[in-house]
Amino acid sequence: MDLPRHGEFGFLSEAEAARLRTFVPEASAERGIEVTVERGRATSGASRSLGLAHLAAVCHNDSRSTRSWRSLVDEHVDRVVRSMDGPQTLRTLPPDRVAAQLHPRFIPGEPKLLKASR
């Protein structure tokens, strides 16, 4: 039986995506961070927004089944929290090193984000 697929993460079923959307705020709250999950992103206040595509793919590709997802989310949130507390790479690297490490990402359905800037 084919389950309905999630719009943002086509490799997840709607039920799997709902499970992931539940785990992210729970894990974040346990670390003292309140987040809202919507449209494939977790946001904390106006200043922080985190895409969930990578986490969704990690969960989907884990061979242990959905029972392991909560621990994967916990590990992911721990890494995010550590990176927020650590040095900000974009502020510490010289501009030429930052530019060398950037990779363009095109997001279908968001043409306003594809504007060229000078």
Side-chain angles (χ1 to χ4, degrees):
M1 174 174 89
D2 284 338
L3 297 172
R5 307 320 290 171
H6 185 261
E8 293 278 327
F9 314 122
F11 47 84
L12 296 182
S13 70
E14 286 288 345
E16 290 169 332
R19 181 178 214 145
L20 186 64
R21 283 192 307 270
T22 299
F23 290 157
V24 170
E26 288 174 355
S28 299
E30 289 172 3
R31 288 146 182 89
I33 302 168
E34 184 178 334
V35 300
T36 303
V37 177
E38 55 192 358
R39 295 209 57 205
R41 302 195 73 68
T43 50
S44 173
S47 62
R48 293 195 172 133
S49 180
L50 172 66
L52 298 175
H54 177 73
L55 177 58
V58 166
C59 289
H60 173 72
N61 290 315
D62 190 82
S63 62
R64 295 173 290 176
S65 85
T66 56
R67 288 187 305 259
S68 67
W69 286 17
R70 178 54 201 257
S71 64
L72 293 171
V73 170
D74 286 341
E75 291 168 12
H76 182 80
V77 171
D78 285 340
R79 279 192 302 275
V80 169
V81 169
R82 278 194 308 273
S83 73
M84 290 174 8
D85 292 340
Q88 299 297 310
T89 304
L90 293 178
R91 293 187 179 149
T92 59
L93 286 178
D96 59 326
R97 293 258 331 263
V98 172
Q101 294 180 18
L102 291 178
H103 304 281
R105 179 176 174 201
F106 297 100
I107 305 168
E110 297 289 343
K112 65 182 176 234
L113 297 178
L114 300 178
K115 292 180 184 174
S117 62
R118 292 190 180 250

